[in-house]
Amino acid sequence: MTTSRTFRHITPGATLPPPRAHTSATATLAAGTAPRAGNPLSAVDHVADFYGAYTDALTDRGRGQLVDALRRHYLTPGLHRSLARWEATHHRDGVLRAAGIPTAWQVDYNDSGTGHCWSRVTLTWEDTGNQPHHTHLVVQSDLETRRVSGIREDR
């Protein structure tokens, strides 16, 4: 059998140098960046996954097929219809409750009961002077399906 790999014999107890990083594929983290984690069975993590993917899709591709697919996957059909009516009236994105795209998002557990979970979504926006400001949303999820079934502004 022929192999292109080179094998080295290592003396027991010897230490090896760390593998070399492939610079073209190495991602660097900004200082202060927290690691991300999640649980597919968590309604709050499901909301966080949705808002992360949704804002990425808006930033990367604009309003298109991916944004629509994310809405169909993460939102209940009732909320999907309700958002269409809200958006026709307000001329803004119903998921974000705004016309623009936030520069950051954060999702925290808020409350749960009667088969639902409520998450608090904080969206960070920057005005023309690069001053951050925040909007807060309360997002309702059905615990059985983890799908988002309600979105409202938290004043």
Side-chain angles (χ1 to χ4, degrees):
M1 178 166 109
T2 307
T3 180
S4 62
R5 291 187 154 184
T6 304
F7 294 98
R8 293 189 285 168
H9 294 283
I10 307 297
T11 308
T15 59
L16 295 174
R20 288 181 295 180
H22 299 284
T23 54
S24 62
T26 302
T28 58
L29 295 176
T33 301
R36 272 49 168 202
N39 179 337
L41 300 178
S42 165
V44 175
D45 287 350
H46 208 66
V47 171
D49 292 343
F50 170 61
Y51 272 89
Y54 191 79
T55 57
D56 284 351
L58 289 174
T59 301
D60 294 345
R61 298 193 173 263
R63 299 182 192 284
Q65 291 179 345
L66 179 56
V67 169
D68 293 338
L70 289 167
R71 283 179 171 222
R72 282 190 307 275
H73 178 76
Y74 283 96
L75 308 179
T76 63
L79 178 59
H80 202 265
R81 289 187 298 274
S82 175
L83 286 178
R85 288 189 302 273
W86 189 94
E87 290 168 343
T89 301
H90 295 91
H91 307 288
R92 297 186 293 165
D93 185 307
V95 169
L96 303 173
R97 296 295 203 243
I101 302 170
T103 57
W105 52 267
Q106 179 177 325
V107 178
D108 296 295
Y109 171 81
N110 192 58
D111 198 7
S112 61
T114 63
H116 295 96
C117 176
W118 290 270
S119 302
R120 183 177 168 96
V121 176
T122 303
L123 302 174
T124 302
W125 309 84
E126 289 186 7
D127 61 20
T128 55
N130 292 329
Q131 294 297 315
H133 61 91
H134 305 281
T135 57
H136 302 281
L137 306 174
V138 174
V139 175
Q140 176 182 308
S141 301
D142 293 338
L143 286 175
E144 184 177 329
T145 64
R146 291 176 309 284
R147 293 179 85 182
V148 175
S149 56
I151 299 172
R152 67 174 172 81
E153 290 185 60
D154 186 21
R155 298 192 187 265

